Amino acid sequence: MITVLVIDNNPAFLEKATSYLSSGDEIDISAVTTADDAFRMLEGRPFDVLVASYHLQNMDGIALLDRLAGLGIEMPVIFYGRHVKERTIIDAMTHGAEFVLQLGEDPKAQFLELRGLIEEIASRRHAEESLRRTAEDLRTIVTRNADAMLVLDR
C-alpha cells in the first residue's frame, strides 16, 4: 500500500484527488487543507509521497521543502499548479521536489498522470530503501565476521 499525503487549500480539489487517486487498493490518501495540518500528520506517521499545491495558503513550495528538510523529513514531494512558471519549476526541483505537474483542463487525465507518478516514485523509493537495508546488513555481516572471512581472488 502506498501512503500519500495531499495538501491543497481547496477542499473540492482534495475530494476529487482522493476519489481519483484512491480508486483500488494500492493508494491510501490522507488530505489536509494547510501545511500546518500536514506537519501535524507527519509527526504521527510516515508517508511514502507528499503531493501538494505549489501555492498554499500559508507558504509556497520552497518554504514547504525547507521546513521538511529542517525537520529531517526525507520524502518525495510532487507539486502541482496551474500556470507554474519555468523559474518556479527549476527552483522547486533544485530544492528537492521530485516533480512539478502543470494542471490543465482535463482533470481525469491529470489525476491519471499523477497516480502514475506516485506509483513510480513510491516504487523507486521502496527499492532504494530495500537496497540501503541490504547494503547495511552486508556491511554489518562483513564487519562482525571479518576475522572468519577468507576472500579468494581467482
Side-chain angles (χ1 to χ4, degrees):
M1 169 89 44
I2 300 169
T3 56
V4 179
L5 179 58
V6 181
I7 314 168
D8 195 291
N9 303 328
N10 183 345
F13 181 88
L14 289 175
E15 189 175 311
K16 284 182 186 177
T18 301
S19 174
Y20 278 106
L21 297 175
S22 64
S23 61
D25 294 333
E26 302 92 29
I27 299 178
D28 177 34
I29 302 290
S30 296
V32 295
T33 55
T34 69
D36 291 334
D37 288 343
F39 284 107
R40 278 191 282 283
M41 289 195 77
L42 288 167
E43 288 174 6
R45 69 179 240 204
F47 288 88
D48 294 310
V49 180
L50 176 67
V51 176
S53 169
Y54 185 82
H55 300 287
L56 296 170
Q57 193 170 32
N58 55 349
M59 68 176 57
D60 68 7
I62 302 301
L64 180 70
L65 290 169
D66 289 345
R67 188 162 169 200
L68 285 169
L71 294 171
I73 299 172
E74 293 183 22
M75 65 186 308
V77 177
I78 299 171
F79 287 116
Y80 60 84
R82 295 193 190 283
H83 316 296
V84 180
K85 296 177 183 169
E86 184 178 337
R87 184 74 220 156
T88 301
I89 295 170
I90 292 168
D91 287 346
M93 300 296 283
T94 58
H95 277 81
E98 287 284 325
F99 199 86
V100 179
L101 179 65
Q102 290 273 12
L103 297 181
E105 299 303 318
D106 184 1
K108 190 172 185 176
Q110 292 163 1
F111 283 118
L112 196 59
E113 181 178 2
L114 182 56
R115 184 181 175 91
L117 285 168
I118 290 168
E119 290 171 346
E120 179 184 327
I121 290 168
S123 176
R124 186 179 70 231
R125 183 173 189 220
H126 287 288
E128 289 169 351
E129 182 62 24
S130 178
L131 182 61
R132 187 195 60 74
R133 279 194 309 269
T134 300
E136 191 175 294
D137 290 346
L138 290 173
R139 191 173 10 268
T140 301
I141 290 168
V142 169
T143 303
R144 291 186 180 169
N145 299 305
D147 293 339
M149 291 189 152
L150 174 66
V151 177
L152 298 175
D153 186 13
R154 295 181 193 213

